[in-house]
Amino acid sequence: MTTEYHDEVGDDSSSFWNKEPRPVYLSGTSGVRRWLFPALTATVFLIVIIALGVSNTRTSNRLWSVENSVSNLTESLTAAHQLSKDAAKDVHRMKFAVESNRDQLTSVSDALRQLSTLDSLRDTVASLKCSLERLINNRTTSAGCCPLNWDTFQTSCFYFSPNSLAWHNARDWCNAHESHLAILLSDEEWDFVTRKTRGTFYWIGLTDERSGRWEWVNQTPYVMNRRRWMPGQPDAWTHHGLGPGDEDCAHLHHDGRLNDLHCTPGCASSARDTP
């Protein structure tokens, strides 16, 4: 007996291929992805906003600093402008004062010139008066007049000898004529005598022979004034070959400045008499 078998492979195959696939649960992952992009976008916007805020803050601070600097500069310029105005006023006042003083100085200068003219006229009148009295008194000296050939300066008489003598001989000559070697105590006398003696060596009454200190012939102390002396003088030089001792006597050099010299050489002398 033949038994028939019916193969149901086709059915099984059909049921195998028609079996529904196992479901995959992706709903949770899809939700995260759905919210992730907006969150990242919001975060980026927030970072940008914060960055802009920080930048705006820095810009505001810089602008505030610039405003303060401009304000300070404006105040400084205002103060400088005020100072310049004040300085201009001071300059104007100084100019006015200078112009006023210039007028006063001009007046003083004119007055001094007039006084100088008067002094010259007075000296001329006094000289004429003395000359007239000499003629009347047979060439003898009268009170208040200088001897003949003597020069009048202020209240003194000066004689500039043309003869060359040693210092001691010149001193003795002056003493014999009731005078003394010139003693110069004021700038005016120095100027007068040096003008008259320029170009020639003249003894004056200055020596350190007696005490080792410079003094006038009347033993009045001499106050050292270096500008009156030649450079490096007095030097008390001992190699002069003129005898014992150093340079103890002072004379006026040809340029009007002082020099110490051994007392024996012959020099002209400047004598002074106070009538």
Side-chain angles (χ1 to χ4, degrees):
M1 179 172 93
T2 304
T3 303
E4 294 182 2
Y5 292 92
H6 296 282
D7 189 3
E8 294 180 359
V9 175
D11 292 339
D12 292 336
S13 174
S14 177
S15 77
F16 172 80
W17 292 108
N18 290 329
K19 188 179 295 182
E20 292 182 3
R22 183 177 297 175
V24 179
Y25 296 94
L26 297 176
S27 60
T29 304
S30 298
V32 171
R33 290 179 178 177
R34 189 166 47 250
W35 288 102
L36 181 60
F37 180 75
L40 290 174
T41 303
T43 302
V44 170
F45 278 121
L46 181 60
I47 292 172
V48 170
I49 291 173
I50 292 173
L52 289 175
V54 171
S55 177
N56 287 335
T57 301
R58 291 178 179 175
T59 303
S60 299
N61 290 335
R62 290 177 181 175
L63 288 175
W64 180 80
S65 178
V66 170
E67 288 178 357
N68 284 340
S69 299
V70 171
S71 177
N72 293 334
L73 181 60
T74 302
E75 292 177 357
S76 299
L77 290 174
T78 303
H81 181 66
Q82 184 62 38
L83 288 174
S84 65
K85 291 174 63 177
D86 295 339
K89 292 179 181 179
D90 292 338
V91 169
H92 181 72
R93 285 194 293 268
M94 291 176 63
K95 181 180 178 182
F96 178 76
V98 168
E99 291 177 351
S100 300
N101 290 332
R102 182 175 60 188
D103 295 338
Q104 294 177 2
L105 289 174
T106 302
S107 301
V108 171
S109 178
D110 292 339
L112 290 175
R113 279 197 297 268
Q114 293 175 2
L115 288 174
S116 177
T117 302
L118 290 175
D119 289 340
S120 178
L121 289 174
R122 184 184 61 189
D123 293 341
T124 302
V125 169
S127 178
L128 290 173
K129 174 178 175 292
C130 290
S131 298
L132 180 61
E133 289 184 358
R134 289 192 194 97
L135 289 174
I136 295 173
N137 299 322
N138 295 323
R139 304 177 67 86
T140 60
T141 303
S142 60
C145 292
C146 291
L148 190 64
N149 297 325
W150 289 56
D151 292 305
T152 303
F153 182 74
Q154 295 179 348
T155 60
S156 298
C157 302
F158 288 86
Y159 178 70
F160 299 91
S161 172
N163 301 320
S164 180
L165 299 172
W167 188 89
H168 296 96
N169 295 335
R171 179 198 59 189
D172 295 341
W173 185 95
C174 292
N175 292 339
H177 289 78
E178 298 181 355
S179 63
H180 52 76
L181 282 172
I183 297 174
L184 308 176
L185 301 178
S186 67
D187 289 339
E188 292 78 11
E189 289 178 339
W190 277 101
D191 294 340
F192 169 74
V193 170
T194 53
R195 281 198 307 269
K196 299 287 287 187
T197 61
R198 194 171 294 273
T200 307
F201 288 179
Y202 271 84
W203 292 122
I204 63 171
L206 188 60
T207 178
D208 67 349
E209 185 179 40
R210 186 182 70 88
S211 63
R213 295 179 177 273
W214 289 100
E215 61 183 9
W216 297 106
V217 288
N218 61 358
Q219 298 183 11
T220 301
Y222 166 72
V223 179
M224 179 59 68
N225 186 345
R226 291 292 179 184
R227 71 184 180 91
R228 298 287 184 194
W229 293 80
M230 297 184 66
Q233 303 300 327
D235 59 357
W237 194 46
T238 58
H239 301 289
H240 42 69
L242 298 174
D246 57 19
E247 298 175 320
D248 294 323
C249 297
H251 74 98
L252 293 172
H253 211 265
H254 60 79
D255 62 355
R257 289 184 293 179
L258 290 169
N259 176 53
D260 61 336
L261 192 66
H262 196 269
C263 300
T264 57
C267 293
S269 58
S270 174
R272 170 175 172 169
D273 176 39
T274 303

